[in-house]
Amino acid sequence: MTDTVDARPLAPVLMIVGTCSNAGKSTMVAALCRIFRQEGWSVAPFKAQNMSNNAGVTADGSEIGRAQMLQARAAGVHPTVQMNPILLKPVTDVGSQVVLLGKAVVTEDARAYYRRTEALWPVVSGALDDLRREYDIVIAEGAGSPAEINLRERDLVNMRIAVHARAVTLLVGDIERGGVFAALYGTHALLQPDERTLIRGFIINRFRGDVTLVDPGPALLEELTGVPTLGVVPWLRDLLLPEEDALGVPPDARWIPDALKVAVICLPHLANFDDIDPLRQIAGVHTQFVTTVAHAGEPDLIVIPGSKATIPDLEWMRERGFVTWIQEQARAGVPIVGLCGGLQMLGTHVADPLELESPQCDAEGIGLLPLSTVMHAAKTVRRNALRVQADHGLLAGTQHLALHGYEIHAGISTPDHSDVVHIDALRADEHDPSHGVLGLLSESGTVFGTYLHGLFGNADFTAILLGNVARMRGRAPLPPAAPHRGIDDELDRLAAHIRTHVDVARIIAWVSASRVSAAS
């Protein structure tokens, strides 16, 4: 198949599908993007349809899944909307906001969305082929399982993509869940014959223990299917890469004694939770996502993260006793930070007159910051650089520091009164006051909220803020920061791990043969 506009053949596609959600597909794609880049190929990641409230912002102010942002970084290229043409951001148990080519277009339930799939196919296939014209290889990721026979007719992201591109396709199974051979065999068996022929290899992921104990499973599986197992990948401990969706949020666990305790409220519609990742890497700090007040214990810092459904999540917090508990903690002087939706909740009132996120049009806020929020149909989606203005409380010593991150929010928050000099904590170099506040600090200095995602990724700022928390809580100063393992270091580590345990040479040979075939 060749492009009708120019003579360059469309690049080959390597596709990674999985036996289930959270089998490690996103991480495998990131590893392979880095490996092919190391081999001298120009590489682009692709996921036709992603369902996640973990979104990132491209240079042109478009939304795509955070996983594709990370995979683009692994490939050494700038992320674009073609890498994730459809992003579904769950708002309710049955409905999602549809982000098409980077822009939110509608919020609807699953049945309404499924009626769109045929109309969306040209968008998806067109985005993939655009990437194939620009790069040497596209590494595509499926979603969930390709063998969901109830969804076959509406498939936009799994084997329909593989068949369209005649992709070299690998099936990943998660042995951590148990039953990996049944899952691989059953997935392979449930595919259509033309789909099954595209499956070139199996990968068994997340093994713990003596790898020889897997034998003779791979050989028996190959006898049954004709498909070789390319590798058994041991669990890679302490891999510091962001998760694709909330399935990767760690469960409640016991607090570590003597650590600076950071309690993050695990909201039902938790969004952009990778904001918390930098805190989890700091020595002397124990960060926990908490689902109950009882588990929250006596933290030194409370973080209310982003939310895709601010009012429903605020009401969930109220029903669970979190609102009262947070108010009590604030009166006791416990520092509190709100990020995006968390900022909105910390105010006095949240209104959603257009019912963009739920049928509930308004809600009383937690009341710790003097601001009100109104949801608007037009979303703010942009990368941003801010500067700290405040110099007391949590932000003491941070004045004039530059902060880098991004914004994704529908709400505009404005102060409840005009006297905001003492609480207007952050300022952009060019800020339109009609866009509302970017960050507020309470008069006491113990409650801070901001719309800036990626806040804790600003290492100097975070070190000072946590030092202020330790001082406020009577804790010993945190130990000196250890050398930070950056994202690119982790991607290189991941790529080396996959090279060690997977037959990468065979994968490269298959893709190279596909490349030659397309050119002939």
Side-chain angles (χ1 to χ4, degrees):
M1 180 177 180
T2 58
D3 182 14
T4 57
V5 177
D6 60 51
R8 181 181 179 180
L10 294 177
V13 174
L14 172 62
M15 183 146 194
I16 308 301
V17 294
T19 56
C20 58
S21 295
N22 206 35
K25 297 184 294 293
S26 297
T27 304
M28 191 64 64
V29 169
L32 290 166
C33 281
R34 179 53 59 102
I35 287 168
F36 273 87
R37 176 193 178 192
Q38 292 168 342
E39 294 292 321
W41 298 55
S42 66
V43 189
F46 176 77
K47 186 166 185 175
Q49 173 188 289
N50 200 343
M51 177 173 280
S52 176
N53 279 329
N54 233 20
V57 179
T58 64
D60 65 355
S62 300
E63 285 186 76
I64 65 171
R66 291 293 293 174
Q68 283 64 62
M69 299 285 289
L70 177 68
Q71 292 160 357
R73 183 163 180 170
V77 298
H78 294 294
T80 67
V81 294
Q82 285 76 24
M83 297 173 184
N84 179 207
I86 302 174
L87 175 61
L88 304 178
K89 305 185 76 172
V91 178
T92 68
D93 290 341
V94 296
S96 298
Q97 182 182 78
V98 180
V99 179
L100 183 62
L101 293 176
K103 307 300 178 187
V105 293
V106 69
T107 297
E108 60 189 3
D109 64 26
R111 291 188 180 277
Y113 174 73
Y114 286 146
R115 289 194 289 270
R116 295 174 176 266
T117 52
E118 283 308 308
L120 290 173
W121 173 248
V123 176
V124 165
S125 57
L128 173 60
D129 289 346
D130 284 345
L131 294 175
R132 297 174 71 193
R133 293 184 185 96
E134 185 174 353
Y135 294 92
D136 295 335
I137 180 176
V138 177
I139 305 182
E141 177 186 346
S145 163
E148 301 289 356
I149 56 179
N150 58 314
L151 301 178
R152 188 188 306 280
E153 297 303 318
R154 301 185 285 270
D155 178 34
L156 288 174
V157 64
N158 285 303
M159 298 312 293
R160 188 171 183 180
I161 290 292
V163 170
H164 170 78
R166 306 306 301 167
V168 173
T169 305
L170 309 179
L171 176 60
V172 177
D174 180 6
I175 199 169
E176 176 83 351
R177 294 170 181 248
V180 70
F181 292 110
L184 290 167
Y185 179 83
T187 301
H188 184 264
L190 284 171
L191 297 178
Q192 296 292 309
D194 62 330
E195 300 169 344
R196 201 177 300 128
T197 60
L198 299 176
I199 303 294
R200 304 291 291 276
F202 298 136
I203 297 175
I204 296 174
N205 197 23
R206 294 177 175 158
F207 184 80
R208 300 177 192 255
D210 181 354
V211 72
T212 62
L213 297 177
V214 175
D215 293 330
L220 295 175
L221 184 64
E222 185 170 1
E223 287 180 17
L224 291 168
T225 64
V227 177
T229 296
L230 301 178
V232 178
V233 181
W235 192 282
L236 184 56
R237 298 184 183 278
D238 302 322
L239 184 65
L240 303 178
L241 293 176
E243 295 283 353
E244 179 180 22
D245 54 41
L247 288 173
V249 172
D252 294 346
R254 292 183 179 180
W255 288 103
I256 297 175
D258 302 324
L260 193 73
K261 299 176 178 63
V262 180
V264 183
I265 311 301
C266 191
L267 303 168
H269 301 94
L270 182 64
N272 296 79
F273 53 86
D274 56 329
D275 282 339
I276 309 303
D277 286 352
L279 297 179
R280 297 164 62 188
Q281 302 174 26
I282 298 173
V285 176
H286 183 200
T287 302
Q288 278 278 6
F289 286 88
V290 298
T291 56
T292 66
V293 169
H295 179 257
E298 298 180 356
D300 299 301
L301 173 65
I302 299 169
V303 178
I304 308 175
S307 166
K308 189 64 192 74
T310 299
I311 290 178
D313 280 0
L314 180 56
E315 293 307 298
W316 175 88
M317 289 175 62
R318 201 180 312 278
E319 292 167 4
R320 292 232 168 175
F322 274 115
V323 168
T324 299
W325 176 77
I326 289 169
Q327 292 167 339
E328 292 170 349
Q329 296 295 306
R331 285 193 291 270
V334 176
I336 299 167
V337 172
L339 303 174
C340 196
L343 162 70
Q344 296 170 350
M345 294 180 196
L346 285 171
T348 58
H349 186 257
V350 182
D352 185 5
L354 300 178
E355 300 183 8
L356 297 171
E357 294 184 346
S358 77
Q360 186 171 346
C361 294
D362 61 73
E364 180 183 352
I366 299 172
L368 298 180
L369 288 175
L371 63 89
S372 298
T373 299
V374 178
M375 301 296 179
H376 295 264
K379 294 176 68 174
T380 298
V381 182
R382 62 187 173 193
R383 296 180 181 179
N384 211 341
L386 308 179
R387 196 166 295 277
V388 182
Q389 290 199 140
D391 192 25
H392 72 283
L394 278 171
L395 302 188
T398 67
Q399 191 174 39
H400 307 308
L401 279 181
L403 303 179
H404 297 274
Y406 61 98
E407 297 175 63
I408 303 178
H409 55 94
I412 294 178
S413 301
T414 55
D416 291 337
H417 52 76
S418 59
D419 181 19
V420 297
V421 175
H422 63 289
I423 58 173
D424 196 0
L426 304 179
R427 176 67 62 184
D429 292 336
E430 297 181 5
H431 178 58
D432 184 346
S434 68
H435 292 167
V437 299
L438 298 170
L440 293 184
L441 180 66
S442 67
E443 191 168 7
S444 67
T446 59
V447 181
F448 170 58
T450 178
Y451 273 117
L452 190 70
H453 289 292
L455 176 74
F456 296 127
N458 295 274
D460 291 342
F461 169 86
T462 300
I464 296 172
L465 182 141
L466 291 176
N468 290 334
V469 171
R471 174 180 51 81
M472 291 175 172
R473 301 295 292 159
R475 297 278 192 177
L478 293 175
H484 181 65
R485 297 204 317 249
I487 295 294
D488 286 298
D489 295 328
E490 292 297 275
L491 288 167
D492 286 339
R493 178 173 166 237
L494 171 64
H497 186 68
I498 296 303
R499 283 184 184 270
T500 300
H501 299 286
V502 175
D503 190 350
V504 169
R506 196 189 299 197
I507 296 171
I508 293 174
W510 285 337
V511 174
S512 297
S514 176
R515 189 183 191 185
V516 170
S517 175
S520 62

